[in-house]
PDB file of all heavy atoms in Angstrom:
ATOM      1  N   LYS A1043     114.435 101.407 120.168  1.00  0.00           N
ATOM      2  CA  LYS A1043     114.033 100.712 118.946  1.00  0.00           C
ATOM      3  C   LYS A1043     112.515 100.515 118.850  1.00  0.00           C
ATOM      4  O   LYS A1043     112.029  99.868 117.918  1.00  0.00           O
ATOM      5  CB  LYS A1043     114.724  99.348 118.865  1.00  0.00           C
ATOM      6  CG  LYS A1043     116.236  99.438 118.673  1.00  0.00           C
ATOM      7  CD  LYS A1043     116.831  98.055 118.441  1.00  0.00           C
ATOM      8  CE  LYS A1043     118.330  98.133 118.142  1.00  0.00           C
ATOM      9  NZ  LYS A1043     118.906  96.796 117.849  1.00  0.00           N
ATOM     10  N   MET A1044     111.789 101.083 119.777  1.00  0.00           N
ATOM     11  CA  MET A1044     110.344 100.871 119.811  1.00  0.00           C
ATOM     12  C   MET A1044     109.638 101.526 118.624  1.00  0.00           C
ATOM     13  O   MET A1044     109.932 102.661 118.239  1.00  0.00           O
ATOM     14  CB  MET A1044     109.762 101.432 121.110  1.00  0.00           C
ATOM     15  CG  MET A1044     108.241 101.358 121.203  1.00  0.00           C
ATOM     16  SD  MET A1044     107.601  99.667 121.177  1.00  0.00           S
ATOM     17  CE  MET A1044     107.999  99.143 122.866  1.00  0.00           C
ATOM     18  N   ILE A1045     108.681 100.794 118.053  1.00  0.00           N
ATOM     19  CA  ILE A1045     107.771 101.323 117.045  1.00  0.00           C
ATOM     20  C   ILE A1045     106.457 101.635 117.762  1.00  0.00           C
ATOM     21  O   ILE A1045     105.820 100.735 118.314  1.00  0.00           O
ATOM     22  CB  ILE A1045     107.511 100.312 115.913  1.00  0.00           C
ATOM     23  CG1 ILE A1045     108.813  99.803 115.295  1.00  0.00           C
ATOM     24  CG2 ILE A1045     106.590 100.927 114.854  1.00  0.00           C
ATOM     25  CD1 ILE A1045     109.657 100.840 114.632  1.00  0.00           C
ATOM     26  N   LEU A1046     106.061 102.898 117.782  1.00  0.00           N
ATOM     27  CA  LEU A1046     104.800 103.300 118.400  1.00  0.00           C
ATOM     28  C   LEU A1046     103.789 103.558 117.288  1.00  0.00           C
ATOM     29  O   LEU A1046     103.911 104.525 116.530  1.00  0.00           O
ATOM     30  CB  LEU A1046     104.981 104.550 119.259  1.00  0.00           C
ATOM     31  CG  LEU A1046     103.701 105.115 119.896  1.00  0.00           C
ATOM     32  CD1 LEU A1046     103.036 104.088 120.808  1.00  0.00           C
ATOM     33  CD2 LEU A1046     103.998 106.405 120.656  1.00  0.00           C
ATOM     34  N   ALA A1047     102.804 102.688 117.174  1.00  0.00           N
ATOM     35  CA  ALA A1047     101.824 102.772 116.087  1.00  0.00           C
ATOM     36  C   ALA A1047     100.482 103.228 116.636  1.00  0.00           C
ATOM     37  O   ALA A1047     100.001 102.699 117.643  1.00  0.00           O
ATOM     38  CB  ALA A1047     101.680 101.416 115.405  1.00  0.00           C
ATOM     39  N   SER A1048      99.866 104.185 115.974  1.00  0.00           N
ATOM     40  CA  SER A1048      98.633 104.790 116.478  1.00  0.00           C
ATOM     41  C   SER A1048      97.539 104.805 115.424  1.00  0.00           C
ATOM     42  O   SER A1048      97.781 105.154 114.265  1.00  0.00           O
ATOM     43  CB  SER A1048      98.897 106.228 116.938  1.00  0.00           C
ATOM     44  OG  SER A1048      99.900 106.276 117.930  1.00  0.00           O
ATOM     45  N   VAL A1049      96.333 104.444 115.854  1.00  0.00           N
ATOM     46  CA  VAL A1049      95.128 104.637 115.053  1.00  0.00           C
ATOM     47  C   VAL A1049      94.510 105.958 115.483  1.00  0.00           C
ATOM     48  O   VAL A1049      94.319 106.212 116.678  1.00  0.00           O
ATOM     49  CB  VAL A1049      94.117 103.505 115.282  1.00  0.00           C
ATOM     50  CG1 VAL A1049      92.798 103.823 114.569  1.00  0.00           C
ATOM     51  CG2 VAL A1049      94.657 102.179 114.800  1.00  0.00           C
ATOM     52  N   LYS A1050      94.203 106.799 114.530  1.00  0.00           N
ATOM     53  CA  LYS A1050      93.599 108.087 114.821  1.00  0.00           C
ATOM     54  C   LYS A1050      92.325 108.258 114.009  1.00  0.00           C
ATOM     55  O   LYS A1050      92.141 107.585 112.983  1.00  0.00           O
ATOM     56  CB  LYS A1050      94.571 109.224 114.500  1.00  0.00           C
ATOM     57  CG  LYS A1050      95.864 109.193 115.320  1.00  0.00           C
ATOM     58  CD  LYS A1050      96.795 110.312 114.912  1.00  0.00           C
ATOM     59  CE  LYS A1050      98.066 110.308 115.744  1.00  0.00           C
ATOM     60  NZ  LYS A1050      97.798 110.601 117.173  1.00  0.00           N
ATOM     61  N   GLY A1051      91.463 109.162 114.444  1.00  0.00           N
ATOM     62  CA  GLY A1051      90.279 109.477 113.654  1.00  0.00           C
ATOM     63  C   GLY A1051      90.651 110.360 112.481  1.00  0.00           C
ATOM     64  O   GLY A1051      90.358 110.062 111.322  1.00  0.00           O
ATOM     65  N   PHE A1052      91.330 111.459 112.799  1.00  0.00           N
ATOM     66  CA  PHE A1052      91.850 112.379 111.791  1.00  0.00           C
ATOM     67  C   PHE A1052      93.340 112.564 112.060  1.00  0.00           C
ATOM     68  O   PHE A1052      93.815 112.369 113.174  1.00  0.00           O
ATOM     69  CB  PHE A1052      91.126 113.726 111.865  1.00  0.00           C
ATOM     70  CG  PHE A1052      89.677 113.660 111.490  1.00  0.00           C
ATOM     71  CD1 PHE A1052      88.699 113.435 112.452  1.00  0.00           C
ATOM     72  CD2 PHE A1052      89.266 113.820 110.176  1.00  0.00           C
ATOM     73  CE1 PHE A1052      87.354 113.369 112.125  1.00  0.00           C
ATOM     74  CE2 PHE A1052      87.925 113.762 109.829  1.00  0.00           C
ATOM     75  CZ  PHE A1052      86.965 113.530 110.806  1.00  0.00           C
ATOM     76  N   SER A1053      94.082 112.933 111.057  1.00  0.00           N
ATOM     77  CA  SER A1053      95.527 113.050 111.191  1.00  0.00           C
ATOM     78  C   SER A1053      95.907 114.224 112.093  1.00  0.00           C
ATOM     79  O   SER A1053      95.117 115.161 112.304  1.00  0.00           O
ATOM     80  CB  SER A1053      96.175 113.226 109.814  1.00  0.00           C
ATOM     81  OG  SER A1053      95.639 114.355 109.145  1.00  0.00           O
ATOM     82  N   ASP A1054      97.120 114.180 112.623  1.00  0.00           N
ATOM     83  CA  ASP A1054      97.621 115.258 113.478  1.00  0.00           C
ATOM     84  C   ASP A1054      97.558 116.593 112.741  1.00  0.00           C
ATOM     85  O   ASP A1054      97.965 116.698 111.574  1.00  0.00           O
ATOM     86  CB  ASP A1054      99.065 114.976 113.898  1.00  0.00           C
ATOM     87  CG  ASP A1054      99.156 113.847 114.911  1.00  0.00           C
ATOM     88  OD1 ASP A1054      98.145 113.557 115.567  1.00  0.00           O
ATOM     89  OD2 ASP A1054     100.247 113.254 115.039  1.00  0.00           O
ATOM     90  N   GLY A1055      97.065 117.608 113.417  1.00  0.00           N
ATOM     91  CA  GLY A1055      96.980 118.933 112.810  1.00  0.00           C
ATOM     92  C   GLY A1055      95.715 119.175 112.019  1.00  0.00           C
ATOM     93  O   GLY A1055      95.467 120.303 111.573  1.00  0.00           O
ATOM     94  N   HIS A1056      94.911 118.128 111.823  1.00  0.00           N
ATOM     95  CA  HIS A1056      93.654 118.277 111.087  1.00  0.00           C
ATOM     96  C   HIS A1056      92.691 119.150 111.890  1.00  0.00           C
ATOM     97  O   HIS A1056      92.673 119.113 113.117  1.00  0.00           O
ATOM     98  CB  HIS A1056      93.038 116.900 110.843  1.00  0.00           C
ATOM     99  CG  HIS A1056      91.962 116.867 109.810  1.00  0.00           C
ATOM    100  ND1 HIS A1056      90.708 117.381 110.029  1.00  0.00           N
ATOM    101  CD2 HIS A1056      91.952 116.374 108.540  1.00  0.00           C
ATOM    102  CE1 HIS A1056      89.959 117.205 108.944  1.00  0.00           C
ATOM    103  NE2 HIS A1056      90.695 116.594 108.026  1.00  0.00           N
ATOM    104  N   HIS A1057      91.891 119.941 111.173  1.00  0.00           N
ATOM    105  CA  HIS A1057      90.967 120.813 111.882  1.00  0.00           C
ATOM    106  C   HIS A1057      89.868 120.055 112.620  1.00  0.00           C
ATOM    107  O   HIS A1057      89.136 120.641 113.419  1.00  0.00           O
ATOM    108  CB  HIS A1057      90.345 121.850 110.928  1.00  0.00           C
ATOM    109  CG  HIS A1057      89.603 121.263 109.763  1.00  0.00           C
ATOM    110  ND1 HIS A1057      90.242 120.810 108.623  1.00  0.00           N
ATOM    111  CD2 HIS A1057      88.279 121.051 109.559  1.00  0.00           C
ATOM    112  CE1 HIS A1057      89.338 120.360 107.768  1.00  0.00           C
ATOM    113  NE2 HIS A1057      88.150 120.493 108.306  1.00  0.00           N
ATOM    114  N   TYR A1058      89.744 118.733 112.384  1.00  0.00           N
ATOM    115  CA  TYR A1058      88.786 117.909 113.110  1.00  0.00           C
ATOM    116  C   TYR A1058      89.469 116.924 114.063  1.00  0.00           C
ATOM    117  O   TYR A1058      88.845 115.958 114.502  1.00  0.00           O
ATOM    118  CB  TYR A1058      87.921 117.110 112.130  1.00  0.00           C
ATOM    119  CG  TYR A1058      86.846 117.894 111.423  1.00  0.00           C
ATOM    120  CD1 TYR A1058      86.434 117.519 110.153  1.00  0.00           C
ATOM    121  CD2 TYR A1058      86.232 118.992 112.022  1.00  0.00           C
ATOM    122  CE1 TYR A1058      85.433 118.222 109.486  1.00  0.00           C
ATOM    123  CE2 TYR A1058      85.245 119.708 111.368  1.00  0.00           C
ATOM    124  CZ  TYR A1058      84.845 119.314 110.094  1.00  0.00           C
ATOM    125  OH  TYR A1058      83.859 120.015 109.445  1.00  0.00           O
ATOM    126  N   GLU A1059      90.741 117.141 114.367  1.00  0.00           N
ATOM    127  CA  GLU A1059      91.475 116.127 115.121  1.00  0.00           C
ATOM    128  C   GLU A1059      90.899 115.871 116.511  1.00  0.00           C
ATOM    129  O   GLU A1059      91.180 114.842 117.124  1.00  0.00           O
ATOM    130  CB  GLU A1059      92.962 116.484 115.235  1.00  0.00           C
ATOM    131  CG  GLU A1059      93.288 117.697 116.084  1.00  0.00           C
ATOM    132  CD  GLU A1059      94.794 117.904 116.206  1.00  0.00           C
ATOM    133  OE1 GLU A1059      95.541 116.919 116.221  1.00  0.00           O
ATOM    134  OE2 GLU A1059      95.223 119.067 116.273  1.00  0.00           O
ATOM    135  N   ASP A1060      90.071 116.784 117.020  1.00  0.00           N
ATOM    136  CA  ASP A1060      89.471 116.595 118.340  1.00  0.00           C
ATOM    137  C   ASP A1060      88.195 115.761 118.291  1.00  0.00           C
ATOM    138  O   ASP A1060      87.667 115.362 119.331  1.00  0.00           O
ATOM    139  CB  ASP A1060      89.151 117.958 118.972  1.00  0.00           C
ATOM    140  CG  ASP A1060      88.164 118.762 118.128  1.00  0.00           C
ATOM    141  OD1 ASP A1060      88.385 118.865 116.900  1.00  0.00           O
ATOM    142  OD2 ASP A1060      87.183 119.279 118.686  1.00  0.00           O
ATOM    143  N   LEU A1061      87.674 115.480 117.104  1.00  0.00           N
ATOM    144  CA  LEU A1061      86.427 114.734 116.982  1.00  0.00           C
ATOM    145  C   LEU A1061      86.628 113.253 117.243  1.00  0.00           C
ATOM    146  O   LEU A1061      87.615 112.659 116.803  1.00  0.00           O
ATOM    147  CB  LEU A1061      85.841 114.894 115.577  1.00  0.00           C
ATOM    148  CG  LEU A1061      85.185 116.229 115.229  1.00  0.00           C
ATOM    149  CD1 LEU A1061      84.711 116.206 113.780  1.00  0.00           C
ATOM    150  CD2 LEU A1061      84.026 116.523 116.163  1.00  0.00           C
ATOM    151  N   LYS A1062      85.677 112.643 117.938  1.00  0.00           N
ATOM    152  CA  LYS A1062      85.668 111.197 118.077  1.00  0.00           C
ATOM    153  C   LYS A1062      85.179 110.586 116.767  1.00  0.00           C
ATOM    154  O   LYS A1062      84.261 111.100 116.135  1.00  0.00           O
ATOM    155  CB  LYS A1062      84.756 110.764 119.222  1.00  0.00           C
ATOM    156  CG  LYS A1062      85.303 111.087 120.602  1.00  0.00           C
ATOM    157  CD  LYS A1062      84.394 110.515 121.685  1.00  0.00           C
ATOM    158  CE  LYS A1062      84.990 110.772 123.062  1.00  0.00           C
ATOM    159  NZ  LYS A1062      84.120 110.230 124.144  1.00  0.00           N
ATOM    160  N   VAL A1063      85.786 109.481 116.375  1.00  0.00           N
ATOM    161  CA  VAL A1063      85.464 108.880 115.079  1.00  0.00           C
ATOM    162  C   VAL A1063      85.120 107.406 115.252  1.00  0.00           C
ATOM    163  O   VAL A1063      85.858 106.661 115.901  1.00  0.00           O
ATOM    164  CB  VAL A1063      86.639 109.032 114.091  1.00  0.00           C
ATOM    165  CG1 VAL A1063      86.329 108.330 112.772  1.00  0.00           C
ATOM    166  CG2 VAL A1063      86.925 110.511 113.843  1.00  0.00           C
ATOM    167  N   TYR A1064      84.017 107.014 114.664  1.00  0.00           N
ATOM    168  CA  TYR A1064      83.628 105.617 114.560  1.00  0.00           C
ATOM    169  C   TYR A1064      83.502 105.266 113.078  1.00  0.00           C
ATOM    170  O   TYR A1064      83.707 106.106 112.204  1.00  0.00           O
ATOM    171  CB  TYR A1064      82.321 105.356 115.306  1.00  0.00           C
ATOM    172  CG  TYR A1064      82.446 105.476 116.809  1.00  0.00           C
ATOM    173  CD1 TYR A1064      82.160 106.678 117.455  1.00  0.00           C
ATOM    174  CD2 TYR A1064      82.872 104.395 117.576  1.00  0.00           C
ATOM    175  CE1 TYR A1064      82.278 106.793 118.833  1.00  0.00           C
ATOM    176  CE2 TYR A1064      83.005 104.500 118.954  1.00  0.00           C
ATOM    177  CZ  TYR A1064      82.702 105.697 119.571  1.00  0.00           C
ATOM    178  OH  TYR A1064      82.835 105.814 120.933  1.00  0.00           O
ATOM    179  N   GLU A1065      83.163 104.018 112.815  1.00  0.00           N
ATOM    180  CA  GLU A1065      83.125 103.495 111.450  1.00  0.00           C
ATOM    181  C   GLU A1065      82.411 104.423 110.472  1.00  0.00           C
ATOM    182  O   GLU A1065      82.977 104.862 109.471  1.00  0.00           O
ATOM    183  CB  GLU A1065      82.458 102.117 111.465  1.00  0.00           C
ATOM    184  CG  GLU A1065      82.160 101.520 110.098  1.00  0.00           C
ATOM    185  CD  GLU A1065      83.425 101.236 109.307  1.00  0.00           C
ATOM    186  OE1 GLU A1065      84.345 100.607 109.860  1.00  0.00           O
ATOM    187  OE2 GLU A1065      83.500 101.654 108.136  1.00  0.00           O
ATOM    188  N   ASN A1066      81.154 104.712 110.751  1.00  0.00           N
ATOM    189  CA  ASN A1066      80.364 105.476 109.786  1.00  0.00           C
ATOM    190  C   ASN A1066      80.801 106.932 109.694  1.00  0.00           C
ATOM    191  O   ASN A1066      80.652 107.569 108.643  1.00  0.00           O
ATOM    192  CB  ASN A1066      78.881 105.384 110.142  1.00  0.00           C
ATOM    193  CG  ASN A1066      78.342 103.971 109.963  1.00  0.00           C
ATOM    194  OD1 ASN A1066      78.982 103.138 109.344  1.00  0.00           O
ATOM    195  ND2 ASN A1066      77.172 103.710 110.508  1.00  0.00           N
ATOM    196  N   VAL A1067      81.337 107.460 110.792  1.00  0.00           N
ATOM    197  CA  VAL A1067      81.891 108.815 110.752  1.00  0.00           C
ATOM    198  C   VAL A1067      83.050 108.857 109.762  1.00  0.00           C
ATOM    199  O   VAL A1067      83.170 109.786 108.939  1.00  0.00           O
ATOM    200  CB  VAL A1067      82.356 109.259 112.152  1.00  0.00           C
ATOM    201  CG1 VAL A1067      83.054 110.610 112.080  1.00  0.00           C
ATOM    202  CG2 VAL A1067      81.172 109.322 113.119  1.00  0.00           C
ATOM    203  N   ALA A1068      83.916 107.851 109.831  1.00  0.00           N
ATOM    204  CA  ALA A1068      85.069 107.794 108.930  1.00  0.00           C
ATOM    205  C   ALA A1068      84.628 107.665 107.475  1.00  0.00           C
ATOM    206  O   ALA A1068      85.201 108.296 106.579  1.00  0.00           O
ATOM    207  CB  ALA A1068      85.983 106.633 109.314  1.00  0.00           C
ATOM    208  N   GLN A1069      83.604 106.847 107.217  1.00  0.00           N
ATOM    209  CA  GLN A1069      83.127 106.688 105.846  1.00  0.00           C
ATOM    210  C   GLN A1069      82.583 108.004 105.291  1.00  0.00           C
ATOM    211  O   GLN A1069      82.767 108.319 104.108  1.00  0.00           O
ATOM    212  CB  GLN A1069      82.049 105.604 105.786  1.00  0.00           C
ATOM    213  CG  GLN A1069      82.571 104.192 106.006  1.00  0.00           C
ATOM    214  CD  GLN A1069      81.554 103.142 105.599  1.00  0.00           C
ATOM    215  OE1 GLN A1069      80.791 103.333 104.659  1.00  0.00           O
ATOM    216  NE2 GLN A1069      81.562 102.021 106.297  1.00  0.00           N
ATOM    217  N   CYS A1070      81.914 108.765 106.149  1.00  0.00           N
ATOM    218  CA  CYS A1070      81.387 110.055 105.698  1.00  0.00           C
ATOM    219  C   CYS A1070      82.505 111.072 105.508  1.00  0.00           C
ATOM    220  O   CYS A1070      82.490 111.851 104.547  1.00  0.00           O
ATOM    221  CB  CYS A1070      80.358 110.570 106.704  1.00  0.00           C
ATOM    222  SG  CYS A1070      78.808 109.620 106.715  1.00  0.00           S
ATOM    223  N   ALA A1071      83.479 111.061 106.409  1.00  0.00           N
ATOM    224  CA  ALA A1071      84.579 112.025 106.318  1.00  0.00           C
ATOM    225  C   ALA A1071      85.549 111.694 105.194  1.00  0.00           C
ATOM    226  O   ALA A1071      86.244 112.584 104.696  1.00  0.00           O
ATOM    227  CB  ALA A1071      85.334 112.075 107.650  1.00  0.00           C
ATOM    228  N   GLY A1072      85.586 110.433 104.776  1.00  0.00           N
ATOM    229  CA  GLY A1072      86.566 110.010 103.779  1.00  0.00           C
ATOM    230  C   GLY A1072      86.061 109.949 102.354  1.00  0.00           C
ATOM    231  O   GLY A1072      86.799 109.524 101.452  1.00  0.00           O
ATOM    232  N   GLY A1073      84.812 110.344 102.124  1.00  0.00           N
ATOM    233  CA  GLY A1073      84.296 110.390 100.752  1.00  0.00           C
ATOM    234  C   GLY A1073      83.541 109.157 100.312  1.00  0.00           C
ATOM    235  O   GLY A1073      82.965 109.144  99.215  1.00  0.00           O
ATOM    236  N   ALA A1074      83.509 108.108 101.138  1.00  0.00           N
ATOM    237  CA  ALA A1074      82.827 106.880 100.727  1.00  0.00           C
ATOM    238  C   ALA A1074      81.313 107.059 100.702  1.00  0.00           C
ATOM    239  O   ALA A1074      80.632 106.639  99.757  1.00  0.00           O
ATOM    240  CB  ALA A1074      83.209 105.729 101.657  1.00  0.00           C
ATOM    241  N   ALA A1075      80.761 107.686 101.737  1.00  0.00           N
ATOM    242  CA  ALA A1075      79.305 107.806 101.831  1.00  0.00           C
ATOM    243  C   ALA A1075      78.719 108.694 100.740  1.00  0.00           C
ATOM    244  O   ALA A1075      77.649 108.410 100.200  1.00  0.00           O
ATOM    245  CB  ALA A1075      78.907 108.329 103.214  1.00  0.00           C
ATOM    246  N   SER A1076      79.417 109.777 100.406  1.00  0.00           N
ATOM    247  CA  SER A1076      78.881 110.705  99.405  1.00  0.00           C
ATOM    248  C   SER A1076      78.823 110.090  98.014  1.00  0.00           C
ATOM    249  O   SER A1076      78.072 110.560  97.148  1.00  0.00           O
ATOM    250  CB  SER A1076      79.728 111.982  99.361  1.00  0.00           C
ATOM    251  OG  SER A1076      81.021 111.729  98.824  1.00  0.00           O
ATOM    252  N   THR A1077      79.591 109.032  97.784  1.00  0.00           N
ATOM    253  CA  THR A1077      79.633 108.406  96.465  1.00  0.00           C
ATOM    254  C   THR A1077      79.001 107.014  96.460  1.00  0.00           C
ATOM    255  O   THR A1077      79.116 106.284  95.479  1.00  0.00           O
ATOM    256  CB  THR A1077      81.092 108.310  95.981  1.00  0.00           C
ATOM    257  OG1 THR A1077      81.897 107.668  96.975  1.00  0.00           O
ATOM    258  CG2 THR A1077      81.658 109.694  95.706  1.00  0.00           C
ATOM    259  N   THR A1078      78.330 106.642  97.574  1.00  0.00           N
ATOM    260  CA  THR A1078      77.677 105.340  97.684  1.00  0.00           C
ATOM    261  C   THR A1078      76.177 105.532  97.837  1.00  0.00           C
ATOM    262  O   THR A1078      75.722 106.427  98.542  1.00  0.00           O
ATOM    263  CB  THR A1078      78.225 104.559  98.896  1.00  0.00           C
ATOM    264  OG1 THR A1078      79.633 104.410  98.764  1.00  0.00           O
ATOM    265  CG2 THR A1078      77.583 103.179  98.990  1.00  0.00           C
ATOM    266  N   GLY A1079      75.413 104.669  97.163  1.00  0.00           N
ATOM    267  CA  GLY A1079      73.959 104.761  97.206  1.00  0.00           C
ATOM    268  C   GLY A1079      73.406 105.132  95.840  1.00  0.00           C
ATOM    269  O   GLY A1079      74.128 105.107  94.832  1.00  0.00           O
ATOM    270  N   PHE A1080      72.131 105.451  95.810  1.00  0.00           N
ATOM    271  CA  PHE A1080      71.482 105.804  94.556  1.00  0.00           C
ATOM    272  C   PHE A1080      71.324 107.307  94.419  1.00  0.00           C
ATOM    273  O   PHE A1080      71.246 108.027  95.409  1.00  0.00           O
ATOM    274  CB  PHE A1080      70.136 105.088  94.445  1.00  0.00           C
ATOM    275  CG  PHE A1080      70.283 103.628  94.086  1.00  0.00           C
ATOM    276  CD1 PHE A1080      70.609 102.694  95.065  1.00  0.00           C
ATOM    277  CD2 PHE A1080      70.157 103.211  92.775  1.00  0.00           C
ATOM    278  CE1 PHE A1080      70.781 101.353  94.736  1.00  0.00           C
ATOM    279  CE2 PHE A1080      70.329 101.872  92.431  1.00  0.00           C
ATOM    280  CZ  PHE A1080      70.643 100.944  93.416  1.00  0.00           C
ATOM    281  N   TRP A1081      71.288 107.766  93.186  1.00  0.00           N
ATOM    282  CA  TRP A1081      71.315 109.199  92.885  1.00  0.00           C
ATOM    283  C   TRP A1081      70.106 109.951  93.428  1.00  0.00           C
ATOM    284  O   TRP A1081      70.189 111.149  93.667  1.00  0.00           O
ATOM    285  CB  TRP A1081      71.407 109.400  91.375  1.00  0.00           C
ATOM    286  CG  TRP A1081      70.461 108.554  90.592  1.00  0.00           C
ATOM    287  CD1 TRP A1081      69.193 108.857  90.221  1.00  0.00           C
ATOM    288  CD2 TRP A1081      70.710 107.238  90.104  1.00  0.00           C
ATOM    289  NE1 TRP A1081      68.630 107.821  89.535  1.00  0.00           N
ATOM    290  CE2 TRP A1081      69.544 106.798  89.433  1.00  0.00           C
ATOM    291  CE3 TRP A1081      71.803 106.365  90.143  1.00  0.00           C
ATOM    292  CZ2 TRP A1081      69.432 105.549  88.843  1.00  0.00           C
ATOM    293  CZ3 TRP A1081      71.695 105.121  89.553  1.00  0.00           C
ATOM    294  CH2 TRP A1081      70.529 104.724  88.903  1.00  0.00           C
TER     295      TRP A1081
END
């Protein structure tokens, strides 16, 4: 009945799944950084 919950950087099978991910890496990979800031 165990629930095994995992935090990952990239999802299983992703071409970047071997990369280590921290906060700002995730923001850049997830589209937040490219759309934040001034033009």
Side-chain angles (χ1 to χ4, degrees):
K1043 293 187 176 183
M1044 176 63 76
I1045 307 297
L1046 177 60
S1048 303
V1049 173
K1050 298 178 179 295
F1052 294 91
S1053 57
D1054 288 339
H1056 195 287
H1057 58 279
Y1058 284 150
E1059 68 176 327
D1060 60 312
L1061 286 178
K1062 289 185 177 180
V1063 177
Y1064 291 94
E1065 172 64 50
N1066 293 346
V1067 174
Q1069 290 194 34
C1070 290
S1076 69
T1077 53
T1078 302
F1080 284 80
W1081 46 90

